[in-house]
Amino acid sequence: FNPPIIVCNESHANVVTTQADALGIELGKIICEPAGRDTAPAIALCIEVTENASEQRFLVMPSDHEVSSKILFQKTLADALPIVDDGKIVLFGVNPNRAETGYGYLRAGDRIDDSECFNIEEFIEKPAQQTAELLVQEPNVYWNAGIFFFRGEAILAEFLKFSPVLLQFIQKSVRQGTSSGKFFHPEAGAFMEIENVSVDYAVMEKTNIGAMACMKSAWSDLGSWTSIWENSAQDADGNSIRGNVLDVDSENCLIHSDGPTVGTCGLQDMIVVANRDAILISPKSNVQGVKNLVTGLKKKGSPTVSFQPQESRPWGEFESINRGESHQVKRIVVAPGGRLSLQYHFHRCEHWIVVKGIATVTINEEVSQLGASQQIFIPQGATHRLENFTDEPVEIIEVQYGDYLGEDDIVRVEDIYKRTVRSANG
């Protein structure tokens, strides 16, 4: 395979590059969507951005899936390859081991030649519990893993046939889009006109060239806290415990904390997840209800769903410690060799206090080196940058003051990571 093409929200592009660097993965293009529009636009974007796409094979893999055996997965791909080269769009089916309402299902039809692939008789979108319990008893019904394998010319022909308007908007957003290094940004106006639709609805439920390959490896989409519990290390009582947790007499629970101390006692089959700003408590049997919680929070305008207290950047990370109407306190860690963009703000001034390491600070034309306990003030509108030229992390406390503290009040003048000149998030 060529280096992977990543399709992500533009706000996640920095996380993608940081994690790929940490894992030593060479990336191809990074396509930065201005908003989420589900899998059909994402796949069409990838096809339109790739040179000679019609002549290429594509394997579409959601990033949050766990495939336990690389060798068995590659064997599944090898089985599917002749079917793909024959013009089929291949999905991957997983033998279900429970009645899962969070997955779509595939009903397999006739076997294709002597392969491990089958024509698809029916798509069944996320069913009710009673229907799911009946489906898993059928020998020819599989979970839809949401992984696709096809030739570019095959998927393009089906987009033209079944979703021509979507494809037209994608093509317009690509023609008017911009590139910066490995990053490609579709034109936002055209992209925002695109329907929010999965490739299953847009193409696969209508096409007659769909096929299914049986997944040989164990698989999970890690799409719920229950599936994360199933795929996590567990103690003798079946508990997956991580972080600052004290538990007594609980069984078959997932209890994770990235924030406060969590104490639990005598729980059975529960999910408890704590961050700095929110705590989720739910029976494992109702973890799909998390979506309803998020919907309710959005309707209330809760900052919990729009504000992340901790974020990664190419140069390191930051964490919001305290936030008020006209101030915000952040903890910023700059990795060795890391350099924030040269930037200024319209609405705020900043006060930096070095906690650890030796920071190089530029304010307008003046460059200073500050050590632990030293501090500096950045006036509103002053061009400034924080850099770390040492072999150890630099940690600072940043106090912001102003009438607007949004991350979009950052004007980049220069950036070594080739991010857009005026953009959000340092």
Side-chain angles (χ1 to χ4, degrees), residues 346-361:
F346 286 113
H347 299 282
R348 70 177 186 247
C349 58
E350 296 173 339
H351 188 173
W352 291 350
I353 305 168
V354 179
V355 176
K356 179 182 178 182
I358 299 174
T360 300
V361 178

Side-chain angles (χ1 to χ4, degrees), residues 280 287-306:
L280 169 71
V287 288
Q288 295 297 332
V290 172
K291 295 179 181 178
N292 295 330
L293 283 176
V294 172
T295 300
L297 288 169
K298 286 181 178 177
K299 287 181 179 178
K300 288 184 175 181
S302 171
T304 304
V305 294
S306 59

Side-chain angles (χ1 to χ4, degrees), residues 192-205:
M192 297 301 282
E193 294 291 328
I194 296 169
E195 180 185 5
N196 190 347
V197 62
S198 73
V199 72
D200 299 278
Y201 283 119
V203 172
M204 297 310 300
E205 291 186 356

Side-chain angles (χ1 to χ4, degrees), residues 49-89:
V49 169
T50 302
E51 293 183 11
N52 303 316
S54 62
E55 303 169 13
Q56 312 245 21
R57 304 184 189 102
F58 292 84
L59 176 66
V60 179
M61 298 173 60
S63 63
D64 59 348
H65 291 196
E66 180 176 70
V67 177
S68 62
S69 171
K70 180 178 178 179
I71 292 173
L72 290 178
F73 183 60
Q74 289 176 332
K75 189 173 189 320
T76 306
L77 297 182
D79 289 343
L81 185 57
I83 311 301
V84 169
D85 284 346
D86 198 36
K88 295 282 191 179
I89 300 174

Side-chain angles (χ1 to χ4, degrees), residues 6-18 30-37 45 177-178 183-189 191-192 311-314 407-408 412 417-426:
I6 308 295
V7 184
C8 64
N9 190 280
E10 60 186 8
S11 65
H12 298 150
N14 296 325
V15 177
V16 167
T17 56
T18 300
I30 302 172
I31 303 174
C32 305
E33 294 180 316
R37 285 295 184 267
L45 260 181
T178 58
F183 296 97
F184 179 80
H185 297 268
E187 194 276 320
F191 190 83
M192 297 301 282
E311 297 190 29
S312 297
R313 293 289 176 265
E407 292 295 325
D408 53 353
R412 292 197 184 107
Y417 304 107
K418 298 187 179 353
R419 295 170 292 176
T420 51
V421 173
R422 177 167 183 168
S423 183
N425 303 333

